[in-house]
Amino acid sequence: MQWTPPYDPAKHGLLPLLARQGRTANWFNTDDGDPYGEPNVARWSSHRTAKTIPFIYRRAVAERPEISNWLNTLTAEARKQQAQRGAPVASVGRGPSLLLLGPTGVGKTYEAHAAIRELAITGVVARWTVTTAADLYAKLRVRHGVDSEAEFQKYATSTILLIDDLGAAKISEFTEDINFRLINHRYENALPTLFTSNVLPKELTARLGDRVASRLNEMCQPVVITGPDRRRAVAA
Ligand SMILES: Nc1ncnc2c1ncn2[C@@H]1O[C@H](COP(=O)(O)OP(=O)(O)OP(=O)(O)O)[C@@H](O)[C@H]1O
Ligand SMILES: [Mg+2]
């Protein structure tokens, strides 16, 4: 990771995230020349993250406390592992997963990108892979010149993965197979995954199959988001 010069966290909507993590702008801009120090990792990670967060979520700050709690669990474990191994930086490894559930427009994707932003400013390294379920299936369709299995492995083994809109795409044998293989791999290896889904909690089994639902049940903390469709509120 590179030394990243100090920059104004306010310009990138990072102050509320720093506050949630008990950090200040001064901490973020600690100019001690240590590339492995947490403030530099936070600047480097936030800079990289800003390039990948979709425009409408670029200032997202999670409202649900379960998001910060989940991130705190992951970062505490990362720091524990770092201390045990004497590693130069703390990196997210194994840990629990989170399942954000709720109807259209309540803010599931917003909360998910807020989580990515918040983890970036902690100074713990987290290599996210981000996809919607529909994009994932599209990328994994067998096509000439594409090694779909290698592509699948990128998602299955990613350190930390966001799967947005699980259960929203049309079901087929192909999507069922991908869901099972992907979720089973992440379940067996305790790889932290953030899922969002429109599916009602009581319909998860019917929609995703009992073997997938059972694994999600064990590996994820469910967070049910309720409320109006925020898109309609904006339009009104
Ligand atoms: N806490 C929030 N503060 C401000 N704006 C928000 C918040 N949560 C969501 N929004 C905005 O509301 C809109 C809908 O949010 P989002 O896209 O996250 O919904 P969703 O639950 O993922 O919907 P869908 O199921 O259709 O994917 C977006 O414009 C988003 O930026
Ligand atoms: Mg969404």
Side-chain angles (χ1 to χ4, degrees):
M1 115 206 2
Q2 283 170 340
W3 168 251
T4 305
Y7 57 88
D8 184 2
K11 279 199 182 145
H12 301 272
L14 300 178
L15 291 182
L17 301 173
L18 288 164
R20 283 169 69 102
Q21 287 291 326
R23 305 290 201 185
T24 61
N26 280 345
W27 172 85
F28 185 76
N29 276 332
T30 306
D31 195 3
D32 58 5
D34 176 7
Y36 298 120
E38 290 205 344
N40 185 58
V41 174
R43 290 196 295 278
W44 176 74
S45 302
S46 297
H47 183 68
R48 282 173 73 232
T49 299
K51 292 184 191 160
T52 62
I53 299 277
F55 180 75
I56 66 165
Y57 307 117
R58 69 197 180 286
R59 305 253 158 193
V61 179
E63 283 187 352
R64 297 297 303 229
E66 294 91 340
I67 300 274
S68 285
N69 293 344
W70 179 57
L71 299 179
N72 291 344
T73 304
L74 296 179
T75 53
E77 182 60 27
R79 291 188 179 111
K80 198 172 113 194
Q81 293 292 329
Q82 177 197 15
Q84 279 172 6
R85 294 184 185 158
V89 291
S91 306
V92 168
R94 294 176 211 285
S97 294
L98 211 59
L99 172 57
L100 305 182
L101 295 163
T104 298
V106 289
K108 300 177 297 296
T109 307
Y110 177 98
E111 295 284 313
H113 285 288
I116 297 176
R117 277 167 39 78
E118 187 169 334
L119 188 49
I121 58 90
T122 62
V124 169
V125 175
R127 296 182 200 282
W128 287 87
T129 303
V130 174
T131 187
T132 64
D135 284 346
L136 175 70
Y137 307 139
K139 283 204 186 111
L140 299 184
R141 293 225 177 264
V142 177
R143 282 167 294 152
H144 183 66
V146 175
D147 183 348
S148 317
E149 187 54 29
E151 191 72 11
F152 172 80
Q153 290 299 331
K154 273 202 275 182
Y155 293 93
T157 62
S158 155
T159 314
I160 179 163
L161 175 67
L162 165 60
I163 301 270
D164 200 8
D165 278 333
L166 181 68
K170 214 164 129 199
I171 304 171
S172 68
E173 225 174 275
F174 173 75
T175 63
E176 281 185 339
D177 190 43
I178 297 293
N179 286 348
F180 180 74
R181 287 186 61 215
L182 182 73
I183 290 165
N184 188 51
H185 183 85
R186 301 201 63 87
Y187 163 74
E188 288 186 345
N189 293 287
L191 296 174
T193 311
L194 176 51
F195 299 95
T196 82
S197 181
N198 270 336
V199 178
L200 292 171
K202 60 176 194 272
E203 286 172 7
L204 276 175
T205 301
R207 184 80 195 158
L208 298 169
D210 51 357
R211 301 177 75 220
V212 166
S214 163
R215 283 163 177 74
L216 288 177
N217 221 5
E218 184 183 326
M219 71 195 277
C220 297
Q221 180 192 357
V223 179
V224 178
I225 305 181
T226 54
D229 179 345
R230 288 175 182 262
R231 297 191 189 101
R232 282 178 193 268
V234 170

